[in-house]
Amino acid sequence: MKNNYPPNFKYEDFGPLFTAKFFNANHWADIFQASGAKYIVLTSKHHEGFTLWGSKYSWNWNAVDEGPKRDLVKELEVAIRNRTDLRFGLYYSLFEWFHPLFLEDKSRSFQQQQFPVSKMLPELYELVNKYRPEILWSDGDADAPDYYWNSTGFLAWLYNKSPVRDTVVTNDRWGYGTICKHGGYYTCSDRYNPGHLLPHKWENCMTIDKFSWGYRRDAGIDDYLTIKELVKQLVETVSCGGNLLMNIGPTHDGTISVIFEERLRQMGTWLKVNGEAIYETHPWRSQSDDITPNVWYTSKRKQKLVYAIFLEWPTSRSLFLSQPIATLGVTQIKLLGHGQPLNWTSLKPNGLLIELPHLTLHQMPSKWGWALALTNVI
């Protein structure tokens, strides 16, 4: 701060600098639709307390009174619901770094609830009633217990009486000790990717920028995950029963930088070919192949389908899968985006050797990972 801002520059002085003057909600919605995502989560308020809507509980520290002078939450909600088939979700930070009532409650070891009663809870009710998010992504418990936040009281209203009671989904960050234990789905920790099947629905919440959740002007090209690395994250996550929430940080003037847009559109390109192996799938009995590396499995039980997603194309064009057990004359194997049945050989005691098609680089159905659909294997 000393090196880059004038003397006595305070955090609230950032307010007027956040202009969002190039923010175009329709353009954002189009990018998200093109990414192949099924839901988005907008940070409606982070730990600094600045709300992206004109909250009457955040007077003069919100996007309508300060900076953009616009209701950014409403603009994006309308664009998402009018232009896409995505579910609209909102992130909300429970605590605030600078709020005097929160700091006073904290100094008294959370034995009083001035901040939740007068600020946090009324604001959350306002947010849900006004924008009807179908995902509510809570964060920032500040090591305060759930009874300080009255999380159970709020969630009882959310699931029983709120306007989104029949559709809403929530995460697990509702107070100290609740993370990875209570919630519609678990997030456990940022960038959580256990690599094995969990008994409860979970989400890998991670960032395209390896080091930051926000936009960094000084980021170099190597600071961003490549599309190949992102596809790997997606495949590993879904194979183990999780969802992928891929974070991007917009600029202060409301744009999504070109590198983020490219990654999102690349993911959409991959999913157009291979989405059948991702969307509406279930974990299979094995999550990954125990002999051939970088092979992950998903399944659709009713259709008797198992998908083997492999991230490296073998130079021999022969792919060995140790897990599936196939039956001659019954099992059929196809490469998604190619369509023709492939030749395969059953090996003893188990496993398959699959002959991949001879394709030039331009004939490849995708560039960063491929999916085989295996019918009638066990």
Side-chain angles (χ1 to χ4, degrees):
M1 294 295 290
K2 284 177 182 174
N3 291 342
N4 295 287
Y5 292 91
N8 303 316
F9 188 93
K10 297 183 178 63
Y11 199 101
E12 54 265 34
D13 296 327
F14 281 118
L17 300 180
F18 171 48
T19 63
K21 67 177 178 179
F22 299 128
F23 174 63
N24 182 332
N26 288 341
H27 182 56
W28 280 34
D30 292 347
I31 293 171
F32 300 149
Q33 179 77 27
S35 77
K38 293 298 180 184
Y39 62 95
I40 66 128
V41 179
L42 173 71
T43 303
S44 70
K45 184 198 84 168
H46 204 251
H47 308 327
E48 84 295 319
F50 190 94
T51 65
L52 295 192
W53 79 101
S55 171
K56 55 185 169 187
Y57 304 99
S58 190
W59 180 79
N60 236 27
W61 190 234
N62 66 70
V64 174
D65 293 339
E66 186 67 273
K69 305 288 175 74
R70 297 161 69 178
D71 186 337
L72 303 178
V73 177
K74 187 67 182 174
E75 288 183 36
L76 190 61
E77 181 222 345
V78 168
I80 292 293
R81 289 184 165 144
N82 286 350
R83 299 173 74 89
T84 78
D85 57 5
L86 278 77
R87 303 283 185 166
F88 181 69
L90 291 172
Y91 164 110
Y92 180 86
S93 170
L94 299 177
F95 91 114
E96 295 177 19
W97 284 325
F98 313 119
H99 202 290
L101 292 181
F102 174 75
L103 295 174
E104 191 180 327
D105 286 355
K106 185 180 180 182
S107 72
R108 299 190 181 185
S109 304
F110 303 115
Q111 295 304 304
Q112 61 183 29
Q113 295 174 287
Q114 289 185 95
F115 178 73
V117 168
S118 63
K119 175 68 160 72
M120 183 277 286
L121 286 165
E123 204 161 69
L124 256 184
Y125 285 114
E126 179 185 61
L127 192 67
V128 172
N129 283 319
K130 205 166 182 180
Y131 305 107
R132 307 191 173 198
E134 293 187 279
I135 299 116
L136 192 59
W137 216 102
S138 175
D139 193 24
D141 60 41
D143 294 336
D146 65 276
Y147 54 81
Y148 167 75
W149 301 111
N150 192 22
S151 297
T152 51
F154 172 76
L155 289 167
W157 171 82
L158 185 70
Y159 280 109
N160 291 288
K161 294 183 178 177
S162 81
V164 289
R165 60 187 176 275
D166 296 327
T167 53
V168 74
V169 176
T170 57
N171 66 338
D172 55 348
R173 303 187 183 193
W174 293 95
Y176 180 75
T178 69
I179 193 167
C180 222
K181 290 181 184 171
H182 302 285
Y185 60 92
Y186 295 165
T187 61
C188 297
S189 64
D190 293 345
R191 302 181 181 87
Y192 182 68
N193 191 0
H196 59 84
L197 185 62
L198 296 189
H200 192 82
K201 189 65 186 177
W202 62 281
E203 181 184 73
N204 176 358
C205 176
M206 44 71 72
T207 56
I208 294 177
D209 180 332
K210 297 173 191 173
F211 306 105
S212 175
W213 295 86
Y215 172 75
R216 292 190 301 135
R217 286 181 295 175
D218 61 345
I221 192 71
D222 291 335
D223 293 344
Y224 299 105
L225 291 171
T226 65
I227 183 58
K228 193 174 178 181
E229 291 170 319
L230 289 169
V231 166
K232 186 173 188 285
Q233 285 271 339
L234 175 69
V235 171
E236 288 179 5
T237 298
V238 173
S239 295
C240 296
N243 286 3
L244 188 69
L245 189 65
M246 209 162 63
N247 177 77
I248 56 166
T251 65
H252 73 281
D253 49 21
T255 62
I256 294 172
S257 65
V258 173
I259 190 131
F260 289 139
E261 180 175 349
E262 182 189 52
R263 293 290 185 274
L264 291 171
R265 290 187 183 276
Q266 286 173 322
M267 187 66 92
T269 299
W270 189 85
L271 283 164
K272 267 185 183 162
V273 176
N274 301 289
E276 183 189 326
I278 298 293
Y279 300 129
E280 298 178 22
T281 60
H282 298 272
W284 194 45
R285 59 174 172 79
S286 293
Q287 278 60 69
S288 59
D289 201 85
D290 54 6
I291 293 181
T292 305
N294 289 314
V295 175
W296 294 82
Y297 295 104
T298 61
S299 71
K300 287 181 180 171
R301 295 169 202 144
K302 285 181 183 174
Q303 294 94 322
K304 296 183 179 176
L305 278 165
V306 171
Y307 297 96
I309 307 167
F310 57 106
L311 302 173
E312 300 293 337
W313 189 277
T315 51
S316 65
R317 288 197 300 112
S318 294
L319 182 70
F320 175 66
L321 300 179
S322 67
Q323 292 299 318
I325 301 167
T327 307
L328 278 170
V330 177
T331 298
Q332 195 176 62
I333 301 175
K334 290 182 178 179
L335 176 67
L336 295 189
H338 178 256
Q340 299 302 314
L342 305 182
N343 295 324
W344 55 271
T345 309
S346 188
L347 301 177
K348 300 293 181 189
N350 58 6
L352 295 169
L353 193 63
I354 300 162
E355 190 184 318
L356 296 172
H358 190 79
L359 301 173
T360 66
L361 200 59
H362 296 296
Q363 291 171 327
M364 288 279 188
S366 55
K367 299 177 186 175
W368 315 291
W370 303 266
L372 294 170
L374 293 77
T375 311
N376 295 315
V377 296
I378 55 172

